[in-house]
Amino acid sequence: MQKRPTALAFDVFGTVVDWHGGIVAAVAPLAAARGVTVDASAFALDWRAGYPLAMDRVRRGELPWLHIDALHRMILDGIVGRHGLDGLSEAERVQLNRAWHRLPAWPDSVRGLTRLKARHTITPLSNGNFSLLTDMAKQAALPWDCVISAELFQHYKPDPEVYLGCAHLLGIAPGELMMVACHPSDLRAARDNGLRTAYVRRPLECGPQTTLPAVADGEFDIVATSFEDLADQLGAA
Amino acid sequence: MQKRPTALAFDVFGTVVDWHGGIVAAVAPLAAARGVTVDASAFALDWRAGYPLAMDRVRRGELPWLHIDALHRMILDGIVGRHGLDGLSEAERVQLNRAWHRLPAWPDSVRGLTRLKARHTITPLSNGNFSLLTDMAKQAALPWDCVISAELFQHYKPDPEVYLGCAHLLGIAPGELMMVACHPSDLRAARDNGLRTAYVRRPLECGPQTTLPAVADGEFDIVATSFEDLADQLGAA
């Protein structure tokens, strides 16, 4: 590979933190307290499935700019019924929606990021809103150098404004920035905007039944199995 | 004082870092290498003096939006002549302008911020551009939870958009945010926008000849002599 990237921009949901495990852990006690039997994994998958659809409505202009907290809440209100959770109070819904601010990091995330930080500027580059990413970093001790959210550009990935806006804010060329994600679609958009790319496999992203996406040989600059492996491949100490 | 503020927003130049000392340390070797005798303190004061004037030209619309790196460079080119430094090459000017990205923290800054971070979200809220603040944090090990720059709002302090935009990004009300600064004018604007205020004395901000600004009794919620003192007053461990 050519010169080391100056900065690394990380997708967050699935790549850095375990949204499936975090939502399962948040919904289970709420359901139990109400005496409702819920398939917590199915609930988490259902909630997450609404997310790209909702963002696409914003991207197409069918919805005004709404940040992820608002979209998550809209989706939540739409799915509680089919999971037997329509009895959740307003306070419980607010609390559950905040679970996205408190998602747990994957076991290798903090250690890998800490190693990478020694030689690269590291930032999230997520569709999650700014306060969500800031709260999450504080909670999970993610050692970011700064926080960059799609909210800053009022555009969601994969819109070019997000990738190019990130490089611009960091004062570097797109080619000096490497996008790190477990979603090939995110990486392909980053690559199409001149960024470098690192694909990290997250075989538990959607829980035990995760199907890993297909990735062509040589499609991305790096393919890694964890942030520790990524750090090794980038020559971190 | 009422309930503890959720987040603390810090002015940076003078409040967190020593711009006078940093610029003196950067210009002295460049001048020496050229055999020029320079009053490094006078040079630093002169460069800094151009900064509010340049920002005001942007705020009044006489200049388009330009970030601080661009304003610093414009001011630098205007003052080198009267300090005998007009012989500086383009590369030397670029290097000198980057000194603002590498300013040293005051001795109490990192320790105080680390203590405050345990119970508050801490962010810079500076007119410095985003990459400048990010580079500075990395260099000086400032443990910010996120980086918020006036650049994100395309408005300079004391425009209301900066103070209110910071609270909005953090997802909190202005009254849950406390501005920390060594400049009363910054704090007065923050207060006028509903923020809480902490004044920190920095008697060496402009070097040994610093004149501390006048502050009326009770004008600000807290008056502190250092970030350690601020942490004490906010009940940090």
Side-chain angles (χ1 to χ4, degrees):
Chain A
M1 202 170 63
Q2 71 272 57
K3 194 164 154 282
R4 201 176 286 137
T6 304
L8 306 174
F10 292 78
D11 172 62
V12 166
F13 298 122
T15 301
V16 179
V17 297
D18 174 10
W19 58 262
H20 181 272
I23 297 304
V24 164
V27 75
L30 279 178
R34 299 211 152 249
V36 175
T37 305
V38 73
D39 179 340
S41 176
F43 174 83
L45 293 170
D46 208 8
W47 202 354
R48 175 72 178 174
Y51 169 86
L53 305 174
M55 284 191 299
D56 280 346
R57 291 182 63 198
V58 173
R59 294 180 62 230
R60 285 195 304 266
E62 292 173 26
L63 286 174
W65 175 262
L66 289 170
H67 64 36
I68 292 295
D69 281 345
L71 296 180
H72 275 149
R73 177 57 194 269
M74 188 186 303
I75 302 162
L76 175 64
D77 289 339
I79 66 166
V80 282
R82 57 178 177 264
H83 294 277
L85 291 166
D86 38 347
L88 287 181
S89 69
E90 172 63 20
E92 287 169 322
R93 289 173 194 223
V94 167
Q95 180 194 335
L96 190 51
N97 209 47
R98 293 280 296 189
W100 294 92
H101 291 228
R102 297 185 306 266
L103 298 174
W106 295 113
D108 55 282
S109 291
V110 172
R111 170 102 181 98
L113 290 175
T114 303
R115 290 175 60 199
L116 289 162
K117 183 174 178 167
R119 295 204 295 191
H120 306 268
T121 294
I122 57 168
T123 181
L125 184 60
S126 166
N127 286 333
N129 41 297
F130 191 90
S131 70
L132 181 156
L133 296 173
T134 301
D135 290 347
M136 174 191 284
K138 206 165 176 69
Q139 190 86 20
L142 306 173
W144 303 125
D145 286 306
C146 57
V147 169
I148 302 183
S149 159
E151 182 182 7
L152 299 180
F153 314 110
Q154 307 267 302
H155 278 275
Y156 282 122
K157 295 188 289 183
D159 285 355
E161 286 82 354
V162 183
Y163 306 101
L164 298 177
C166 178
H168 181 78
L169 276 183
L170 295 174
I172 59 179
E176 297 175 274
L177 180 60
M178 176 173 272
M179 185 78 212
V180 182
C182 67
H183 308 125
S185 57
D186 193 358
L187 296 173
R188 288 175 192 132
R191 185 195 57 200
D192 291 347
N193 286 287
L195 277 67
R196 290 146 84 175
T197 52
Y199 171 66
V200 178
R201 283 185 228 281
R202 289 299 188 193
L204 295 173
E205 183 189 358
C206 303
Q209 293 97 351
T210 302
T211 308
L212 276 174
V215 173
D217 268 357
E219 194 179 3
F220 305 121
D221 297 312
I222 291 178
V223 173
T225 55
S226 69
F227 286 4
E228 292 266 30
D229 181 28
L230 176 63
D232 289 342
Q233 293 192 48
L234 284 168
Chain B
M1 200 170 64
Q2 70 273 57
K3 192 166 154 285
R4 201 174 290 137
T6 304
L8 306 174
F10 292 77
D11 172 62
V12 167
F13 298 121
T15 301
V16 179
V17 297
D18 175 10
W19 58 262
H20 181 273
I23 298 305
V24 164
V27 74
L30 279 178
R34 297 211 154 252
V36 175
T37 305
V38 72
D39 179 339
S41 176
F43 174 82
L45 293 169
D46 207 9
W47 202 355
R48 176 73 177 174
Y51 169 84
L53 306 175
M55 283 190 299
D56 280 346
R57 292 183 61 197
V58 173
R59 293 180 62 230
R60 284 196 303 266
E62 293 172 24
L63 285 175
W65 175 262
L66 289 170
H67 62 37
I68 292 295
D69 280 345
L71 297 179
H72 274 150
R73 177 56 196 270
M74 188 187 303
I75 302 161
L76 175 64
D77 289 338
I79 66 167
V80 283
R82 58 178 178 265
H83 293 277
L85 291 167
D86 37 350
L88 288 181
S89 68
E90 171 63 19
E92 286 169 323
R93 290 173 194 222
V94 167
Q95 181 194 335
L96 189 51
N97 209 48
R98 294 280 294 190
W100 295 92
H101 290 228
R102 297 185 307 265
L103 297 174
W106 295 113
D108 55 281
S109 291
V110 172
R111 170 104 181 98
L113 289 174
T114 302
R115 289 175 59 200
L116 290 162
K117 183 174 179 167
R119 294 205 296 191
H120 306 268
T121 295
I122 57 169
T123 181
L125 185 61
S126 166
N127 286 332
N129 41 296
F130 191 91
S131 69
L132 181 155
L133 296 173
T134 301
D135 290 346
M136 175 191 284
K138 205 165 177 68
Q139 190 86 20
L142 305 173
W144 303 126
D145 286 307
C146 58
V147 169
I148 301 183
S149 158
E151 182 182 8
L152 298 181
F153 313 111
Q154 306 268 303
H155 277 276
Y156 282 121
K157 293 189 291 184
D159 285 354
E161 286 83 353
V162 183
Y163 306 101
L164 299 176
C166 178
H168 181 78
L169 276 183
L170 295 174
I172 59 179
E176 298 175 273
L177 180 60
M178 175 173 274
M179 184 78 213
V180 183
C182 67
H183 308 125
S185 56
D186 192 0
L187 295 173
R188 288 175 192 131
R191 183 195 59 201
D192 291 347
N193 286 288
L195 277 67
R196 290 147 82 174
T197 52
Y199 171 65
V200 179
R201 284 186 227 280
R202 289 299 188 192
L204 295 174
E205 183 191 358
C206 303
Q209 293 96 350
T210 302
T211 307
L212 276 175
V215 173
D217 269 357
E219 193 179 4
F220 304 120
D221 297 312
I222 291 179
V223 173
T225 56
S226 69
F227 286 4
E228 291 267 28
D229 182 29
L230 176 63
D232 289 342
Q233 293 192 49
L234 283 169

